Short mmCIF file of all heavy atoms in Angstrom, two decimals:
data_model
loop_
_atom_site.label_atom_id
_atom_site.label_comp_id
_atom_site.label_asym_id
_atom_site.label_seq_id
_atom_site.Cartn_x
_atom_site.Cartn_y
_atom_site.Cartn_z
N ILE A 143 -36.32 7.69 -40.83
CA ILE A 143 -37.53 7.00 -40.75
C ILE A 143 -38.34 7.54 -39.62
O ILE A 143 -39.48 7.87 -39.70
CB ILE A 143 -37.49 5.50 -40.79
CG1 ILE A 143 -36.91 4.92 -42.14
CG2 ILE A 143 -38.79 4.86 -40.53
CD1 ILE A 143 -36.53 3.49 -42.21
N ASP A 183 -47.79 28.24 -47.01
CA ASP A 183 -46.42 28.80 -47.08
C ASP A 183 -46.09 29.25 -48.51
O ASP A 183 -44.90 29.73 -48.82
CB ASP A 183 -45.42 27.69 -46.67
CG ASP A 183 -45.64 27.37 -45.20
OD1 ASP A 183 -45.83 28.20 -44.39
OD2 ASP A 183 -45.45 26.13 -44.85
N THR A 216 -45.05 46.33 -64.92
CA THR A 216 -44.14 45.17 -64.71
C THR A 216 -44.89 43.87 -64.43
O THR A 216 -45.75 43.94 -63.65
CB THR A 216 -42.96 45.34 -63.74
OG1 THR A 216 -42.27 46.53 -64.10
CG2 THR A 216 -42.10 44.16 -63.79
N PHE A 243 -29.58 21.62 -58.50
CA PHE A 243 -29.19 22.93 -58.96
C PHE A 243 -29.25 23.09 -60.37
O PHE A 243 -28.81 22.28 -61.12
CB PHE A 243 -27.77 23.33 -58.34
CG PHE A 243 -27.73 23.27 -56.83
CD1 PHE A 243 -27.20 22.09 -56.23
CD2 PHE A 243 -28.17 24.26 -56.07
CE1 PHE A 243 -26.99 21.95 -54.86
CE2 PHE A 243 -28.08 24.24 -54.72
CZ PHE A 243 -27.58 23.04 -54.12
N TRP A 293 -38.27 42.29 -49.62
CA TRP A 293 -38.04 41.92 -48.14
C TRP A 293 -38.67 40.65 -47.80
O TRP A 293 -38.07 39.68 -47.37
CB TRP A 293 -38.45 43.03 -47.13
CG TRP A 293 -37.75 44.22 -47.17
CD1 TRP A 293 -37.98 45.44 -47.86
CD2 TRP A 293 -36.47 44.47 -46.44
NE1 TRP A 293 -36.99 46.34 -47.60
CE2 TRP A 293 -36.18 45.89 -46.77
CE3 TRP A 293 -35.69 43.76 -45.61
CZ2 TRP A 293 -34.93 46.48 -46.12
CZ3 TRP A 293 -34.59 44.28 -45.02
CH2 TRP A 293 -34.29 45.65 -45.37
N GLN A 316 -23.55 43.45 -36.07
CA GLN A 316 -23.97 43.80 -37.47
C GLN A 316 -25.45 44.21 -37.34
O GLN A 316 -25.91 45.26 -38.02
CB GLN A 316 -23.81 42.73 -38.35
CG GLN A 316 -22.35 42.54 -38.80
CD GLN A 316 -22.36 41.31 -39.79
OE1 GLN A 316 -23.08 40.43 -39.97
NE2 GLN A 316 -21.12 41.30 -40.50
N ASP A 319 -25.73 47.83 -35.81
CA ASP A 319 -25.36 48.76 -36.85
C ASP A 319 -26.46 49.08 -37.80
O ASP A 319 -26.75 50.12 -38.17
CB ASP A 319 -24.04 48.40 -37.59
CG ASP A 319 -22.88 48.46 -36.77
OD1 ASP A 319 -22.94 49.07 -35.76
OD2 ASP A 319 -21.82 47.78 -37.18
N LYS A 337 -25.44 41.29 -26.51
CA LYS A 337 -26.92 41.33 -26.74
C LYS A 337 -27.24 42.87 -27.01
O LYS A 337 -26.63 43.75 -26.48
CB LYS A 337 -27.76 40.85 -25.55
CG LYS A 337 -27.64 39.43 -25.37
CD LYS A 337 -28.59 38.94 -24.29
CE LYS A 337 -28.65 37.42 -24.15
NZ LYS A 337 -29.57 36.98 -23.05
#
Side-chain angles (χ1 to χ4, degrees):
I143 293 171
D183 297 323
T216 299
F243 300 97
W293 287 99
Q316 287 179 343
D319 290 338
K337 286 186 178 180

